[in-house]
Structures are given as structure tokens and as C-alpha cells.
Amino acid sequence: MKRILLIRHCQALGQHSDSPLSKKGIQKAYELARQLERLSFPINRIITSPYLRAQESIKPFAARQGIPVETDERLKERLLSEQPVDDWIDILEESFQNFHFKLPGGESSNEAYQRAEQVLNECMKDEVNENIIIVTHGNLLALMLQKFHVDFGFHEWKTLTNPDAFLIQRIGGEYITERIWEEKQSHFY
């Protein structure tokens, strides 16, 4: 049975490609590792965005399992614009409604989806590795989920957490998507 886990990175200190995880993000990376270790199946391969925050999010799990982490440029975050955008949330919403919409120097949802879909297709056809983790960014993860869950859009993107994790399993001829990240709540007394 083919299984792909799509994971959004943990909380980071910024949006640059070399932004590290925050203190809370590092704690969540270890929580993520513990949750992944409780899966009922072994992970055979890990592919991640080249951005530091994505790599650091899976590092605790990969190190404890002895699985090498591959980076893939196609999993980097989608660039909305080369210039800073004040109303980026409105721009993002527009890009989910119109897959060809893009700002100068930016990337449309369609363009980002095309590169991410290449990775997904390669993983689904991988006959050597049955269970694969893909670590990426919220925007791209939401677009990737649309391949399996057509109505996953802007409003669903807004519900994503850092980290977040979705299990995609091929059962028979179809793929089933399940959110598997469980946010642990801290209790203060």
C-alpha cells in the first residue's frame, strides 16, 4: 500500500529560505518525531524543501530513524511576488480562486502546483519506497492536497498549523486523505 505523508514545517523565526525554527518550532519538531514514531508502518524515504525550516522540522525524526533527508528545489515555498506585498492574504486568496493569477515576478498557483505534482507523481511511482514523507510549506502543501482532496482551498489553508501532517494512502484504486497531526494542548494550573 502506497503511503505519502505531506508535512508542513514547524514554526520559524522568519520567511527567508535560511530562517531557523523558533524555540516553539524546535519543541514541535520533537513532538512531530514522536508522533511519526508511533505510526503503524515504517518510513522509507524523506524528501524536503531546501529551506532550513523544513529541514529542521524533520531532522529529529530522520536522525532517530537513521533515514537520510533528500532536498528537492521543487518543494520550496511558492513566491507570491518579488516585491513585498501589504495585502498578501488577499493576493493569496485570489490565487486560490484563480489558479493562473500571479503578480510580476511571482508564481501562480498553477505553476507551483505543476512542480509539486512532479514530486508527488515520482513518489507515487516509486516502487522501492512504499512510505514517503514530503516536508514543505503551507501554501504548497495546500496546493498539493488539492490533487487528492479537490475542495481543499484557501479556507482550509487558513486552518493549517505549524507543523501539520496529512497521510495520503492508496486504497484500491483511490487515494484517501487524513489529517494526522494532533496538536498537543498545554495545560497550566
Side-chain angles (χ1 to χ4, degrees):
M1 178 189 305
K2 176 62 76 177
R3 295 180 188 97
I4 296 172
L5 280 102
L6 291 179
I7 297 177
R8 182 187 193 188
H9 66 80
C10 301
Q11 184 185 76
L13 292 174
Q15 294 297 313
H16 299 288
S17 63
D18 59 352
S19 295
L21 294 181
S22 65
K23 186 175 180 181
K24 180 181 178 184
I26 292 168
Q27 292 170 338
K28 293 291 182 182
Y30 282 94
E31 273 183 42
L32 177 64
R34 285 189 293 276
Q35 285 193 29
L36 293 173
E37 287 167 351
R38 289 194 296 270
L39 292 172
S40 62
F41 52 87
I43 297 301
N44 312 113
R45 184 178 179 198
I46 298 171
I47 310 167
T48 182
S49 159
Y51 288 16
L52 183 61
R53 60 188 178 270
Q55 293 178 51
E56 286 185 343
S57 295
I58 200 64
K59 188 176 179 179
F61 175 75
R64 295 202 306 226
Q65 299 298 310
I67 302 171
V69 176
E70 305 167 38
T71 58
D72 192 316
E73 286 289 323
R74 297 172 294 180
L75 296 173
K76 68 184 180 185
E77 181 60 287
R78 175 176 162 215
L79 180 66
L80 283 178
S81 171
E82 287 180 333
Q83 303 300 318
V85 179
D86 291 334
D87 55 346
W88 70 270
I89 198 84
D90 295 332
I91 300 295
L92 184 62
E93 184 173 15
E94 173 69 22
S95 76
F96 270 96
Q97 293 168 359
N98 176 354
F99 255 48
H100 297 285
F101 171 80
K102 71 177 180 177
L103 294 175
E107 188 177 28
S108 71
S109 290
N110 188 53
E111 290 166 336
Y113 175 80
Q114 293 299 321
R115 66 177 161 86
E117 185 185 35
Q118 291 173 357
V119 178
L120 283 171
N121 288 339
E122 290 167 14
C123 289
M124 290 186 292
K125 292 176 184 169
D126 184 338
E127 294 180 13
V128 176
N129 300 292
E130 188 175 50
N131 305 313
I132 302 170
I133 287 177
I134 296 174
V135 186
T136 189
H137 306 269
N139 193 323
L140 196 62
L141 181 133
L143 294 172
M144 294 169 85
L145 283 169
Q146 288 185 347
K147 180 174 180 73
F148 309 102
H149 196 332
V150 182
D151 56 351
F152 200 97
F154 177 75
H155 296 290
E156 291 74 19
W157 167 82
K158 290 195 318 188
T159 68
L160 294 176
T161 58
N162 289 89
D164 216 328
F166 292 82
L167 172 61
I168 297 148
Q169 301 181 79
R170 183 171 53 209
I171 299 174
E174 68 179 284
Y175 286 90
I176 307 298
T177 305
E178 175 188 2
R179 186 178 192 183
I180 62 166
W181 172 250
E182 295 175 20
E183 188 70 36
K184 303 290 185 223
Q185 299 298 321
S186 298
H187 298 285
F188 297 99
Y189 297 93

